[in-house]
Amino acid sequence: IDYDSFDNFGDYPNIKNVRIGNSVTSIGSYAFYGCSSLTTITIPESVTSIGFEAFYDCSSLTTVVIKSTNQLTFDNKVFWFCEKLSTIYFYSLIEPNYSTATDCYCTSSPVSCAPFYCNTPSITVYVPKDYNSTATTFCEKSVTFKREL
């Protein structure tokens, strides 16, 4: 299924693959909420913001590839309850902007963990070799950074 503008795919829990078009600049709130069969999502370089609970409860999601090399803005709970999320590829050298992420039930500050509340025991985040940030930027759980991109 193609995603070229905001649409709520939550009514389609059996979606396994989605292609986000290069013309998309924003992924709206609840866009993929409850897509329980979605396993991998690639977010193209054109995307600059991801809305509230955009991938909430995508319970089969294991891998997120964020190709943007620009600064991304994340709203609250973007990947909340993606229990199987174990790998994120993050291509930007610029730390994400969490200025709109204010609601968080984490032990660290709201801006540092709201988007990637994962419910997983550990997560691996692949970042560019020159990326300089802390693990809490991505998730409150155990995070391993691999500077390999």
Side-chain angles (χ1 to χ4, degrees), residues 69-134:
T69 57
N70 301 308
Q71 186 173 43
L72 283 173
T73 298
F74 286 94
D75 204 331
N76 288 329
K77 306 174 186 175
V78 171
F79 295 101
W80 272 45
F81 295 103
C82 295
E83 292 95 356
K84 294 182 182 176
L85 183 59
S86 60
T87 307
I88 298 171
Y89 294 90
F90 185 75
Y91 283 82
S92 181
L93 286 171
I94 305 169
E95 187 166 341
N97 175 5
Y98 302 113
S99 63
T100 60
T102 57
D103 179 21
C104 185
Y105 303 104
C106 301
T107 56
S108 55
S109 68
V111 296
S112 66
C113 66
F116 291 98
Y117 181 77
C118 316
N119 290 359
T120 59
S122 65
I123 192 165
T124 301
V125 181
Y126 292 88
V127 294
K129 291 177 185 173
D130 295 332
Y131 188 78
N132 188 18
S133 187
T134 62

Side-chain angles (χ1 to χ4, degrees), residues 32-89:
F32 299 95
Y33 186 107
C35 288
S36 56
S37 297
L38 188 64
T39 58
T40 301
I41 192 78
T42 299
I43 299 169
E45 189 167 351
S46 58
V47 172
T48 58
S49 67
I50 303 175
F52 180 76
E53 296 185 355
F55 296 94
Y56 185 101
D57 199 23
C58 290
S59 56
S60 295
L61 188 64
T62 60
T63 305
V64 174
V65 179
I66 302 173
K67 291 197 169 190
S68 179
T69 57
N70 301 308
Q71 186 173 43
L72 283 173
T73 298
F74 286 94
D75 204 331
N76 288 329
K77 306 174 186 175
V78 171
F79 295 101
W80 272 45
F81 295 103
C82 295
E83 292 95 356
K84 294 182 182 176
L85 183 59
S86 60
T87 307
I88 298 171
Y89 294 90

Side-chain angles (χ1 to χ4, degrees), residues 3-4 19-25 43-47 67:
Y3 177 87
D4 289 315
R19 185 192 65 80
I20 299 175
N22 290 328
S23 63
V24 173
T25 59
I43 299 169
E45 189 167 351
S46 58
V47 172
K67 291 197 169 190

